[in-house]
Amino acid sequence: MATTKFRHVFGRLWGFATSCKKRTTSSSNSIGTRILQRDVEKEEFQFASTLCLSSYYSVFVVRLAIMVMLAILIGLLTILTWHFTKIYTTKSLNSLAYDLRYELLQRPILRMWNILNSTSEITIAQVKLSQYVIRSHGNLTTQEDQVEMYEAMRAVTWALFASRKALNSITVKYNNGFVQAFHRDIKDNNTFYIYSDLANYSIGASGYNSELNYSSLSSQESSWNDNDNKSTVWYRQPLDPVTGEKIEKAMQIAPEDSIHIAGLSQVPDGVASWRVAVSKFTDSPLLSAALPVWDSSNKSIVAVVGVTTALYSVGQLMKELVELHSGHMYLTSLEGYLLATSTDAPLLDNSTQPPKLKMAVDCENEVIRLGAEYLRRSSGNKFPPSHEVHVANVRLGHDRYYIDSFFLNLKRLPLVGVIIIPRKHILGQVDERAFKTLVILISASMCIIVIGWVCILILTNGVSKEMKLRAELISQLEARRKAEASSNYKSQFLANMSHELRTPMAAIIGLLDILMSDDCLTNEQCATVTQIRKCSTALLRLLNNILDISKVESGKLVLEDAEFDLGRELEGLVDMFSVQCINHSVETVLDLSDDMPKLVRGDSARVVQIFANLINNSIKFTPSGHVILRGWFENPNPCSDNANFLMEEKKLQYAQKTIRAKQHENHAKRTSERDKKAVLWFEVDDTGCGIDPSKWDSVFESFEQADPSTTRLHGGTGLGLCIVRSLVNKMGGEIKVVKKEGPGTLMRLYLRLDTAGDATEQHCLVDIANNGLVVLLALHGNMGRSITSKWLQKNGVFTMEASEWNGLTQILRELFHARSSAGINNGFDVHYPIPESLKSRLLSIQEIRNPVFVIAVDIGLLDLSTDIWKEQLNFLHRYLGLAKFIWVLNHDTSNTIKLELRRKGHMMTVNKPLYKAKIVHILEEVIKERNHEMQKKNMDELHESDYTHCDAASSDDSDISESAPCNPVSSTEKFEQFDLLSRYRINNCLIGLTDEHSEVKTPRKEDSCQNNHNSPKSMSAEQAYFPREAHQGEDSERRGKEEHRIIGGLARPANGKKSLEGLRILLAEDTPVIQRVATIMLEKMGASVVAVGDGQQAVDALNGMLGVEDFRRDSNLNERNTRSSSPQTEILSSPSYDLVLMDCQMPKMDGYEATKAIRKSEVGSGVHIPIVALTAHAMSCDEAKCLEVGMDAYLTKPIDFKLMESTILSLTRRTTS
Amino acid sequence: MDVVTQMQRQLLQYTSSLFKEGFLDDQFNQLQQLQDESNPEFVVEVVTLFFEDAERLLNELSKSLEQESIDFRRVDAHVHQLKGSSSSIGAQRVQRVCIAFKNFCEQQNVEGCLKSLQEIKQEYSLVKTKLETLFKMEKQLFAAGGSVSR
């Protein structure tokens, strides 16, 4: 029961401890999860780890405490259990043992008492009887009387003697010396009658005795008795013990030989006397009593009666008792003489004569002797009356005993009874059991403690292991955090470094540009400088890549979220790359499906960067063939009618793969539906060397290239694709290399972009179809041609294709055979058999009523190497009336050809590549023109001029923005129509310039800019046409022309015109130094500047609240400024500004606030004044902030002359229209 | 004429030493380029402006830092201004110390700020002496009838 109890207690304790532990671990655990979840601060971390460690140690301490407590508890329980069992048993047993001992001793004492009583009774009876007999024989005068009396006495005495078996003897001694005695020999069980010789006793003697005066008796008696005894003869006659008959003859014995006869000396004062006597015949002490027998007158003692009782029976009883209970008992007199013992040890000391009683301390029995000695020691010699001793635990010899003594106060014979019982007898079992129990308890509790400890160890071991693991985990997290921090440092370092590196690079490039614009260089020097310029640009690009990657890695890349025209961006991209590809025989084709959303929201620069990198890569590895950028829209609500031919083609081409792709798309679709974002799929397909399938994944890693040798061949760092993947992932998309039939690589990616407005609307394929259009595509590149052709066919336009000059002529002849009856005979007319397919086509075309022929001729089809092209041109010119010609020019098409075309009236020219938007524009133009034509058919011949105008407008599309004399109404309309596109092109160039310094940049733009610098041909093409815009038209158009001139001036500042001529710029800058510097810079560029000291003034100035006087008063700088700046009057007259340069950190109102205010005031007015931020912060987040508040661009201090110029130009050009 | 050439050479050497020792950077070149017939005294003007501005800012800074509770935002704004103007004239050593100062400001490190202020003052006085010497030499050159060749 005790064990269950403490098990219970132990269990509760254990539960408490574990709950404690759980609490601590759970708290640390929660911290741990927090640690896992986010990147915590160092302090927090340390706190957590110390907490964990402390809890770890506290668990250790708790474990120890529990173990110690357990040990103490079990020890206490053991001791208590043992104690209670022992004490209670001992107590009850002790009381029991006391009773037993008492009882045991009571019995021999009672026997003794009985003996004493019976002895005294018999003595009294004998005395009474003797008196009676003696009195009845009153006068003993004769011998016979005497004999008769003796006989009577003998009979009476015998009767008494026989009645008491315990009596040892009864003696009667008469005063005349006659002795009558009965003696019982207990050992032999013989009974004797002893008497003295009667003859010796005279009557006289008896008479003398009777006359004897009592007073004189005492003096004479002893001597008489002694003498008498010696002289008398005694006889002993054995008797039958039962009947008393004499069985043998009497033997003569010496007096007092066998028994002691009580004489007168024993009763000196006539009172009964008690004593313990020792007989020489028995080895046990005798108790003898003596009483005198008085005569009738009570004056003299007639006889003395003595009764002797052996104490042997008491010893016997003791023995019997002791046999039953073991132990020892003895009775002693008050003086310490042994009267009876329970042992066989002799009670008499035989060494002395006569034998004397032994003292208890001299007893031969060791136990009794030791007990007696102990008693004597404890209570001294004087044993006090009525003193009882009860000692429970006395060591006698080797054992322990109980000693109890009782005092028996008999009259004249006080007795002491002692009982010595070995403890073993009573408590032996108990002691043994108690000892065993103790041993068992101790061993059991030891076992339990050990087991408990082991259990605790095992249980807490798990916990401590967990804690150890946790601590380890924490330390490892710490290590990981450190590693991440160091990696972060690395990224940070890279970002900073590349940032720092770009500044000198910008300086280098700028200086090189200055150098190159100098005319004083020799050709050789110029070539070297150009080379340096190229290398610097490459280095800058590399730095930009590194910066991009580190930005992405450090998570600092923030994607812009602005609406942009995806199609136009991509067209611009393809335009640019097609320029780049001219030297390779690579065709760059853009193939966007019709359902692509026109406007999407996202970071246009980054999207362009993705494709620029991809296409750049493709071009790099494609020596010949084509690079196709395909794009299609995954409609969240699938409509079958939107399925474009592209998809169909793809299905045919990659039938086996579409399933997988579909699954992928479906997945993407599902997620997109959730985000309400459009999933745009793109493919970049090239016919280059391809990528080994095992490298498909690794090419997207940093510094990874499919083939190490590519670095040697093509250069590059392998960062491009890594950036692409990072960006794509950032836009919620994926990119991977897809298996492709044939050589080359097919990269497929999807982006998740917000579509702006109704994105899925089918945009303006207005009425290309059903207008009887027949398009003859005489284009060089197969891929582009077939894609265009397919797209046109899909939109209901008849197309025919020709890939070379001969094919073209053949088709032309076939087409116009019937119509142009004028026999065409030309050296170029080589007859080829017409393929059947073409024939059927021609037939079907002939069925079209009132067809409009549009012939797109690649300038490359003409033989430009010789002068044959002129002949060819003449040949085609013949068809001018029958069909519309669209000339697809290369970027490097020489001016002479262009001039020739123009001279001949071929006004519709586009630059390669010919993508959808261009075709749509052209065809729309054609249709409009035709309609126009038909309307005005009957009116006048004015259509001729209109015609040219339209051509001019169309050609606007291709950089050759030419404003020919035209009808004002239609010209503005058309100008605006194409304006967007052309402006975009120019902007691209300008942005390209600025982008070298700003962080948003793509290789494409640099390339285009590079192109501007490096390819004099294209530049000259522009410049050739700009000066011709000397048309003095409406005021509304003047601005635009100015811009054109400015662009010319930018490209070649040496032509004497200042780049920013006529611009009015508001400069908000508080630092006077910078204000001054910037003012001078801007003025140098030809702009007129108004400087204000803070944002508030800037806002006021823009709102026209600030008068001229205020300018002057506000800042003395302004005075200088106004003094020095010549176009002051202009500013005064029209306080509108073309641009604001806004410092970000200014007193009163900072740049951000000011911009916000300005933008706010602009709301509704439709005006958007470009605001350029000036800031000393060079981090991208500042840029983001700037753009966020509505600024348009971003310049860092110190102000870079060129950078500022280009930025301002790009912005003013963009906004002023 | 000999004197003029010698002076010209001295000036050139001095200017290049200023660039080499890092007192000035490219921005100063840009400033000099901006100076032309219409603004003959442009560099001097701007640099003087810078001196005025810098001295004002340094005073403000000393005052701000002497206060018991330092308004770090204010200090930061001042340092930012100083950084902007120093970078605009190309005093790049001042600018560099300004960057360090700004960092201390962000950490709200008073000791660092005070140290940086001392450094800035030192650098500023250095660059001031150097530039003044430069201008003096230029003036002498002009007075001697020479022109600064760039």
Side-chain angles (χ1 to χ4, degrees):
Chain A
M1 189 185 122
T3 42
T4 55
K5 213 187 334 182
F6 91 31
R7 224 177 259 160
H8 176 66
V9 171
F10 172 67
R12 289 185 60 175
L13 252 175
W14 178 244
F16 172 73
T18 45
S19 75
C20 266
K21 235 172 285 160
K22 259 178 209 160
R23 231 173 297 145
T24 54
T25 52
S26 74
S27 68
S28 69
N29 195 21
S30 67
I31 287 165
T33 50
R34 249 184 288 147
I35 291 158
L36 281 169
Q37 275 163 7
R38 64 193 162 94
D39 197 12
V40 289
E41 296 299 310
K42 197 176 181 181
E43 294 81 22
E44 210 173 321
F45 230 116
Q46 279 173 347
F47 172 70
S49 60
T50 48
L51 191 85
C52 182
L53 278 178
S54 69
S55 64
Y56 175 65
Y57 287 123
S58 72
V59 164
F60 190 74
V61 169
V62 161
R63 187 165 72 182
L64 265 180
I66 290 172
M67 282 162 84
V68 169
M69 276 164 67
L70 178 75
I72 291 170
L73 194 81
I74 291 174
L76 272 174
L77 280 168
T78 314
I79 289 164
L80 276 176
T81 317
W82 182 76
H83 178 74
F84 281 118
T85 32
K86 164 99 179 160
I87 290 296
Y88 282 124
T89 343
T90 315
K91 243 183 196 170
S92 54
L93 275 176
N94 269 353
S95 61
L96 273 174
Y98 179 75
D99 288 350
L100 174 74
R101 274 143 37 203
Y102 190 79
E103 197 62 32
L104 274 178
L105 203 60
Q106 210 63 26
R107 284 162 71 182
I109 284 172
L110 271 177
R111 176 70 64 90
M112 198 73 167
W113 184 251
N114 278 345
I115 288 170
L116 287 173
N117 269 353
S118 60
T119 309
S120 94
E121 276 166 20
I122 283 173
T123 316
I124 289 167
Q126 179 67 33
V127 166
K128 294 286 177 205
L129 282 174
S130 303
Q131 274 180 346
Y132 172 74
V133 170
I134 288 169
R135 281 180 196 167
S136 62
H137 298 81
N139 293 317
L140 297 176
T141 48
T142 60
Q143 192 81 15
E144 283 79 30
D145 287 343
Q146 249 184 353
V147 170
E148 193 183 336
M149 190 194 70
Y150 292 146
E151 279 299 317
M153 274 299 285
R154 181 183 172 260
V156 167
T157 309
W158 169 252
L160 271 179
F161 184 73
S163 69
R164 297 284 171 170
K165 292 278 191 263
L167 291 180
N168 184 258
S169 61
I170 296 180
T171 59
V172 181
K173 191 171 185 181
Y174 301 95
N175 54 1
N176 58 359
F178 185 70
V179 172
Q180 274 183 310
F182 288 95
H183 171 67
R184 194 179 276 143
D185 193 345
I186 294 160
K187 276 187 256 173
D188 309 332
N189 207 16
N190 292 330
T191 309
F192 300 100
Y193 174 58
I194 296 167
Y195 58 95
S196 55
D197 189 13
L198 197 63
N200 290 342
Y201 306 102
S202 58
I203 296 170
S206 65
Y208 163 75
N209 272 353
S210 60
E211 288 167 2
L212 196 73
N213 201 348
Y214 190 77
S215 56
S216 61
L217 187 75
S218 55
S219 57
Q220 291 175 347
E221 197 174 16
S222 57
S223 60
W224 171 70
N225 268 347
D226 289 340
N227 293 334
D228 190 33
N229 282 349
K230 280 166 194 164
S231 62
T232 51
V233 178
W234 288 11
Y235 300 93
R236 192 174 69 174
Q237 190 173 26
L239 294 176
D240 183 76
V242 185
T243 56
E245 295 294 317
K246 296 167 185 163
I247 46 172
E248 270 180 60
K249 279 203 168 169
M251 277 173 63
Q252 190 178 357
I253 53 164
E256 302 229 2
D257 193 17
S258 57
I259 55 166
H260 176 79
I261 305 295
L264 199 63
S265 57
Q266 260 109 18
V267 281
D269 45 358
V271 187
S273 81
W274 294 91
R275 68 183 193 99
V276 176
V278 181
S279 134
K280 39 183 160 182
F281 312 108
T282 60
D283 51 356
S284 71
L286 301 171
L287 182 70
S288 57
L291 268 179
V293 181
W294 297 91
D295 65 349
S296 51
S297 58
N298 267 349
K299 284 179 183 158
S300 63
I301 297 165
V302 180
V304 174
V305 172
V307 175
T308 312
T309 315
L311 290 177
Y312 178 73
S313 64
V314 177
Q316 209 61 33
L317 182 69
M318 281 178 170
K319 259 182 208 163
E320 280 166 24
L321 287 173
V322 163
E323 267 168 25
L324 237 121
H325 296 286
S326 83
H328 305 273
M329 292 170 110
Y330 67 92
L331 285 173
T332 60
S333 63
L334 196 59
E335 294 79 25
Y337 291 104
L338 270 178
L339 297 182
T341 68
S342 59
T343 58
D344 292 331
L347 298 172
L348 303 177
D349 193 0
N350 286 324
S351 56
T352 55
Q353 208 50 252
K356 276 168 72 182
L357 276 173
K358 272 193 176 171
M359 292 291 280
V361 289
D362 299 325
C363 179
E364 279 176 19
N365 189 296
E366 199 183 3
V367 176
I368 291 171
R369 191 182 69 230
L370 289 170
E373 276 169 3
Y374 171 80
L375 278 176
R376 200 170 62 181
R377 263 205 312 281
S378 64
S379 54
N381 281 329
K382 287 172 279 174
F383 202 79
S386 74
H387 181 85
E388 292 188 359
V389 178
H390 302 287
V391 189
N393 205 1
V394 180
R395 174 172 277 280
L396 302 175
H398 301 292
D399 294 316
R400 290 175 178 278
Y401 293 91
Y402 287 102
I403 297 178
D404 300 86
S405 72
F406 301 92
F407 183 67
L408 189 67
N409 196 8
L410 294 179
K411 199 179 176 187
R412 305 195 61 177
L413 186 66
L415 286 175
V416 176
V418 175
I419 178 163
I420 301 173
I421 295 179
R423 195 188 157 80
K424 202 162 71 182
H425 176 66
I426 297 168
L427 283 175
Q429 289 282 60
V430 175
D431 279 346
E432 198 183 344
R433 282 280 158 82
F435 180 70
K436 274 181 187 169
T437 315
L438 184 66
V439 167
I440 288 168
L441 265 177
I442 287 172
S443 49
S445 43
M446 290 304 283
C447 282
I448 287 168
I449 286 171
V450 167
I451 289 167
W453 281 2
V454 168
C455 284
I456 289 168
L457 269 177
I458 288 168
L459 286 171
T460 53
N461 216 29
V463 176
S464 63
K465 253 182 200 165
E466 196 191 321
M467 298 300 279
K468 259 181 211 161
L469 282 175
R470 206 179 289 282
E472 212 167 291
L473 184 71
I474 283 172
S475 64
Q476 274 176 5
L477 278 176
E478 180 86 359
R480 199 189 72 178
R481 196 190 58 79
K482 273 180 189 158
E484 274 171 1
S486 69
S487 157
N488 260 354
Y489 293 145
K490 189 195 76 185
S491 297
Q492 196 72 41
F493 170 75
L494 274 178
N496 287 342
M497 274 316 288
S498 57
H499 195 261
E500 292 301 312
L501 286 170
R502 275 186 321 134
T503 317
M505 279 312 294
I508 290 170
I509 291 172
L511 288 172
L512 284 172
D513 286 343
I514 292 169
L515 201 57
M516 279 160 69
S517 64
D518 254 349
D519 294 332
C520 58
L521 290 177
T522 64
N523 281 343
E524 210 173 311
Q525 283 169 329
C526 196
T528 317
V529 170
T530 312
Q531 201 58 43
I532 295 171
R533 177 68 170 72
K534 272 184 191 166
C535 295
S536 310
T537 317
L539 186 52
L540 191 61
R541 197 179 309 156
L542 175 61
L543 289 174
N544 288 335
N545 281 346
I546 291 173
L547 183 61
D548 277 341
I549 282 196
S550 54
K551 247 176 164 181
V552 172
E553 275 180 358
S554 61
K556 275 189 183 157
L557 182 76
V558 182
L559 287 179
E560 203 183 327
D561 185 27
E563 208 166 274
F564 69 98
D565 187 336
L566 181 66
R568 195 186 295 167
E569 295 283 350
L570 294 179
E571 281 158 15
L573 196 62
V574 172
D575 274 342
M576 189 194 77
F577 277 108
S578 69
V579 175
Q580 205 183 10
C581 298
I582 278 167
N583 297 332
H584 310 64
S585 52
V586 179
E587 192 185 356
T588 318
V589 184
L590 176 68
D591 178 9
L592 298 178
S593 75
D594 289 339
D595 56 357
M596 284 290 278
K598 192 168 164 57
L599 292 176
V600 293
R601 291 190 69 82
D603 194 329
S604 59
R606 294 298 177 188
V607 171
V608 167
Q609 189 183 0
I610 290 172
F611 293 110
N613 276 357
L614 287 176
I615 295 172
N616 200 18
N617 228 37
S618 289
I619 287 172
K620 205 193 281 175
F621 295 106
T622 310
S624 67
H626 56 84
V627 174
I628 307 176
L629 171 59
R630 293 195 194 94
W632 68 96
F633 175 57
E634 167 119 14
N635 203 338
N637 41 333
C639 316
S640 54
D641 58 345
N642 269 355
N644 54 67
F645 78 95
L646 180 83
M647 285 302 289
E648 283 161 11
E649 182 197 64
K650 216 181 300 303
K651 272 174 203 157
L652 290 172
Q653 249 181 331
Y654 316 109
Q656 79 278 22
K657 239 181 312 96
T658 23
I659 300 161
R660 211 190 316 157
K662 275 281 176 202
Q663 283 170 348
H664 206 85
E665 284 160 23
N666 283 341
H667 171 70
K669 197 196 294 174
R670 261 194 314 264
T671 47
S672 78
E673 272 173 66
R674 206 171 48 237
D675 305 339
K676 302 261 178 209
K677 283 190 169 186
V679 175
L680 301 175
W681 285 85
F682 295 96
E683 275 180 356
V684 177
D685 187 356
D686 67 43
T687 55
C689 56
I691 300 172
D692 189 76
S694 63
K695 298 260 184 176
W696 280 359
D697 287 329
S698 62
V699 284
F700 294 108
E701 301 297 328
S702 305
F703 306 105
E704 191 72 43
Q705 285 182 327
D707 185 359
S709 64
T710 48
T711 317
R712 226 169 30 241
L713 286 172
H714 306 281
T717 51
L719 286 175
L721 287 179
C722 179
I723 295 172
V724 167
R725 190 187 54 176
S726 305
L727 288 173
V728 168
N729 289 344
K730 190 109 183 159
M731 291 184 194
E734 272 180 57
I735 183 166
K736 59 179 178 179
V737 186
V738 175
K739 201 181 167 197
K740 177 192 171 172
E741 273 181 16
T745 313
L746 180 62
M747 301 258 191
R748 186 175 292 169
L749 67 142
Y750 69 89
L751 299 177
R752 204 164 287 157
L753 296 170
D754 278 325
T755 50
D758 187 8
T760 54
E761 79 182 309
Q762 284 279 349
H763 38 269
C764 68
L765 286 178
V766 260
D767 38 7
I768 298 173
N770 305 324
N771 272 306
L773 284 174
V774 176
V775 178
L776 171 57
L777 295 168
L779 298 173
H780 209 68
N782 281 325
M783 213 58 203
R785 194 183 61 231
S786 68
I787 286 170
T788 314
S789 149
K790 275 178 187 165
W791 176 71
L792 283 173
Q793 279 175 21
K794 187 176 158 273
N795 283 295
V797 178
F798 267 104
T799 60
M800 282 184 293
E801 299 176 43
S803 62
E804 29 137 38
W805 176 251
N806 289 332
L808 174 65
T809 53
Q810 198 172 358
I811 292 169
L812 281 177
R813 255 200 311 278
E814 289 296 326
L815 265 180
F816 301 110
H817 186 63
R819 296 165 204 242
S820 58
S821 52
I824 298 155
N825 203 1
N826 194 292
F828 306 108
D829 291 355
V830 188
H831 286 270
Y832 288 99
I834 300 165
E836 280 304 307
S837 60
L838 188 58
K839 218 164 211 173
S840 62
R841 250 174 190 281
L842 289 170
L843 282 174
S844 60
I845 287 166
Q846 273 157 13
E847 286 162 19
I848 299 172
R849 197 174 52 83
N850 196 14
V852 178
F853 293 96
V854 178
I855 303 170
V857 186
D858 191 343
I859 204 78
L861 287 184
L862 306 182
D863 190 352
L864 297 174
S865 52
T866 58
D867 272 350
I868 301 170
W869 64 272
K870 282 186 179 166
E871 298 296 321
Q872 288 172 325
L873 209 59
N874 284 332
F875 169 76
L876 291 177
H877 190 66
R878 276 178 267 167
Y879 296 99
L880 186 59
L882 301 168
K884 311 263 184 267
F885 277 91
I886 301 168
W887 290 94
V888 183
L889 303 180
N890 279 338
H891 290 266
D892 52 355
T893 305
S894 69
N895 251 342
T896 42
I897 297 171
K898 286 178 184 168
L899 279 172
E900 183 66 26
L901 284 173
R902 196 172 302 275
R903 200 175 53 77
K904 290 202 184 258
H906 296 281
M907 290 307 186
M908 282 199 189
T909 54
V910 292
N911 267 7
K912 263 187 178 175
L914 191 64
Y915 44 74
K916 231 160 35 190
K918 285 182 184 172
I919 297 169
V920 169
H921 278 299
I922 290 164
L923 293 182
E924 276 174 2
E925 272 313 301
V926 170
I927 290 162
K928 258 184 211 163
E929 195 180 315
R930 204 215 18 203
N931 294 343
H932 203 238
E933 224 172 299
M934 283 160 84
Q935 276 170 19
K936 294 193 172 181
K937 208 158 205 174
N938 299 324
M939 288 175 73
D940 52 2
E941 300 302 308
L942 210 98
H943 74 277
E944 200 51 49
S945 73
D946 205 8
Y947 203 88
T948 44
H949 154 70
C950 288
D951 282 356
S954 307
S955 67
D956 194 355
D957 193 21
S958 59
D959 282 351
I960 316 162
S961 49
E962 173 184 0
S963 50
C966 55
N967 185 331
V969 184
S970 61
S971 104
T972 39
E973 177 198 340
K974 282 177 183 149
F975 190 87
E976 269 165 18
Q977 215 167 41
F978 287 94
D979 187 45
L980 282 175
L981 201 61
S982 61
R983 205 196 310 145
Y984 172 74
R985 292 285 301 138
I986 292 162
N987 279 353
N988 265 357
C989 291
L990 296 171
I991 287 166
L993 271 174
T994 67
D995 274 347
E996 286 173 6
H997 304 276
S998 70
E999 304 205 11
V1000 189
K1001 90 190 36 93
T1002 65
R1004 162 184 73 91
K1005 288 174 176 174
E1006 278 152 25
D1007 280 341
S1008 75
C1009 128
Q1010 207 177 334
N1011 193 40
N1012 263 355
H1013 285 289
N1014 297 342
S1015 60
K1017 272 184 187 169
S1018 68
M1019 206 174 283
S1020 67
E1022 283 174 15
Q1023 277 156 9
Y1025 288 100
F1026 287 143
R1028 280 207 248 144
E1029 308 168 3
H1031 170 65
Q1032 302 297 317
E1034 289 78 20
D1035 275 349
S1036 62
E1037 280 197 299
R1038 200 202 295 156
R1039 176 68 50 77
K1041 265 172 248 142
E1042 271 175 9
E1043 298 310 322
H1044 287 279
R1045 273 210 310 280
I1046 286 160
I1047 292 160
L1050 166 71
R1052 179 71 59 90
N1055 66 357
K1057 294 209 168 171
K1058 287 180 177 176
S1059 52
L1060 299 180
E1061 192 71 63
L1063 284 179
R1064 288 170 297 277
I1065 291 171
L1066 178 67
L1067 171 67
E1069 168 65 62
D1070 62 322
T1071 316
V1073 181
I1074 298 172
Q1075 195 181 42
R1076 187 77 188 115
V1077 170
T1079 309
I1080 291 296
M1081 275 187 179
L1082 290 169
E1083 281 173 1
K1084 277 227 150 195
M1085 288 185 251
S1088 50
V1089 183
V1090 173
V1092 291
D1094 60 55
Q1096 186 59 51
Q1097 285 177 19
V1099 175
D1100 292 346
L1102 278 175
N1103 292 343
M1105 308 258 295
L1106 213 59
V1108 191
E1109 289 79 15
D1110 293 332
F1111 288 162
R1112 291 200 173 139
R1113 204 176 45 224
D1114 265 331
S1115 115
N1116 56 347
L1117 282 168
N1118 285 352
E1119 283 180 54
R1120 273 181 245 198
N1121 177 26
T1122 46
R1123 249 190 284 121
S1124 57
S1125 59
S1126 46
Q1128 174 68 29
T1129 46
E1130 212 177 293
I1131 299 165
L1132 295 180
S1133 61
S1134 67
S1136 70
Y1137 300 95
D1138 296 312
L1139 187 127
V1140 180
L1141 281 172
M1142 184 77 77
D1143 184 21
C1144 287
Q1145 281 202 339
M1146 281 186 292
K1148 284 188 195 167
M1149 183 190 268
D1150 67 14
Y1152 306 119
E1153 289 298 316
T1155 308
K1156 276 184 199 163
I1158 291 166
R1159 291 289 176 241
K1160 206 173 167 187
S1161 68
E1162 275 173 4
V1163 170
S1165 66
V1167 186
H1168 183 94
I1169 188 163
I1171 299 177
V1172 179
L1174 279 178
T1175 171
H1177 299 295
M1179 295 307 291
S1180 57
C1181 56
D1182 294 301
E1183 187 183 355
K1185 196 176 171 189
C1186 288
L1187 297 176
E1188 195 184 315
V1189 297
M1191 295 186 183
D1192 300 272
Y1194 171 87
L1195 285 174
T1196 54
K1197 294 177 196 172
I1199 301 162
D1200 186 88
F1201 190 83
K1202 283 203 154 277
L1203 183 56
M1204 183 162 76
E1205 181 187 35
S1206 54
T1207 309
I1208 292 171
L1209 274 176
S1210 69
L1211 285 169
T1212 49
R1213 177 68 189 88
R1214 195 191 290 177
T1215 47
T1216 50
S1217 52
Chain B
M1 200 61 200
D2 257 359
V3 183
V4 173
T5 7
Q6 202 180 342
M7 279 172 81
Q8 267 183 340
R9 200 180 300 140
Q10 269 183 358
L11 181 64
L12 267 178
Q13 273 176 0
Y14 189 70
T15 317
S16 60
S17 77
L18 285 185
F19 278 93
K20 258 185 221 158
E21 286 164 33
F23 285 108
L24 297 174
D25 65 8
D26 184 49
Q27 195 66 25
F28 191 74
N29 273 336
Q30 280 207 15
L31 278 188
Q32 284 185 328
Q33 274 165 17
L34 286 172
Q35 179 169 307
D36 55 13
E37 296 75 31
S38 57
N39 295 302
E41 291 289 299
F42 176 68
V43 177
V44 181
E45 180 192 341
V46 170
V47 171
T48 318
L49 268 177
F50 167 69
F51 289 158
E52 287 168 12
D53 194 38
E55 265 156 38
R56 180 180 62 83
L57 287 171
L58 284 173
N59 275 339
E60 294 263 352
L61 278 175
S62 319
K63 256 185 238 165
S64 301
L65 285 176
E66 271 164 22
Q67 274 163 6
E68 263 180 41
S69 59
I70 295 168
D71 184 357
F72 279 101
R73 205 176 296 169
R74 210 171 121 89
V75 173
D76 191 60
H78 288 317
V79 178
H80 187 78
Q81 274 200 335
L82 187 58
K83 182 182 154 219
S85 50
S86 60
S87 70
S88 285
I89 67 144
Q92 62 167 338
R93 280 167 72 150
V94 179
Q95 187 197 348
R96 251 178 247 157
V97 186
C98 278
I99 293 169
F101 198 160
K102 265 179 85 83
N103 285 339
F104 284 127
C105 249
E106 272 161 29
Q107 295 161 12
Q108 310 226 328
N109 183 344
V110 183
E111 281 179 26
C113 284
L114 287 170
K115 214 181 97 192
S116 296
L117 182 64
Q118 286 310 313
E119 277 180 41
I120 285 185
K121 279 182 176 166
Q122 201 181 339
E123 289 293 342
Y124 166 69
S125 56
L126 261 176
V127 83
K128 190 178 176 184
T129 7
K130 299 274 180 190
L131 283 172
E132 275 169 353
T133 321
L134 185 71
F135 294 148
K136 207 182 278 170
M137 285 167 80
E138 275 184 11
K139 219 177 247 176
Q140 280 172 356
L141 186 60
F142 278 124
S147 64
V148 183
S149 65
R150 292 199 177 95

